[in-house]
Amino acid sequence: MNFDIVDTRRFFRNRFAYYVVNKDSHGTGVRDGAPLTLRDLCRILESDSEPFPRRYDPDMRKLCNHEYLTWFREERTYGDVARLLSRLLAAEDGLLPHPGGRWVHGVLKGDRLSDFWLRSDEEIEITLADLE
């Protein structure tokens, strides 16, 4: 399925808002007609340089926890949000330890995500099965 970038960003915002409230990266309660998960959208938008809307700053504060001031130092992009979410999802999946310390700074200053942070749900399931 190919969606234009405007729709893709809208799907991302929908799933982002849903994730912040429900901690569900699959977006099972989002009814926008797209079969994409939050992880899928993070893969698509990891390099997107479009500014992320400021109206989501309260949600970003929740997401970044104690390191939220790092987020507010400059204008951020969809790609920045995608990388932060991918890091959190990797921790939830058990692929990385839960973030602590200066994790927001580390993710935002990194050039690109490690590949396994952005694997599809099916690839994650296979990886987790291999770890067991």
Side-chain angles (χ1 to χ4, degrees):
M1 250 182 213
N2 289 332
F3 297 103
D4 68 22
I5 192 67
V6 174
D7 285 337
T8 302
R9 290 179 183 135
R10 179 175 50 88
F11 299 146
F12 181 77
R13 290 189 310 270
N14 292 347
R15 279 151 190 75
F16 169 78
Y18 187 80
Y19 175 79
V20 169
V21 172
N22 299 295
K23 296 295 183 207
D24 176 9
S25 65
H26 291 78
T28 54
V30 179
R31 306 280 189 250
D32 58 11
L36 301 168
T37 66
L38 185 57
R39 182 177 286 105
D40 295 332
L41 291 163
C42 286
R43 291 178 85 170
I44 294 167
L45 295 175
E46 76 167 305
S47 299
D48 189 359
S49 60
E50 178 74 19
F52 194 68
R54 301 293 295 194
R55 70 177 177 268
Y56 293 97
D57 282 353
D59 293 332
M60 290 308 301
R61 185 176 182 150
K62 291 176 194 173
L63 194 72
C64 296
N65 291 320
H66 68 281
E67 212 179 341
Y68 72 92
L69 290 175
T70 301
W71 174 262
F72 294 117
R73 286 188 185 145
E74 59 188 74
E75 188 172 27
R76 301 297 180 180
T77 66
Y78 279 86
D80 293 331
V81 179
R83 291 192 307 276
L84 287 173
L85 284 169
S86 294
R87 174 60 179 92
L88 290 174
L89 295 174
E92 287 178 12
D93 291 338
L95 298 173
L96 290 174
H98 283 281
R102 294 175 39 122
W103 77 275
V104 171
H105 175 78
V107 170
L108 293 174
K109 293 301 176 191
D111 290 337
R112 189 171 184 278
L113 292 173
S114 298
D115 288 337
F116 65 84
W117 291 13
L118 290 174
R119 290 185 179 167
S120 69
D121 290 333
E122 293 80 22
E123 292 170 319
I124 293 294
E125 288 175 18
I126 292 167
T127 301
L128 291 175
D130 289 344
L131 293 175
E132 293 177 353

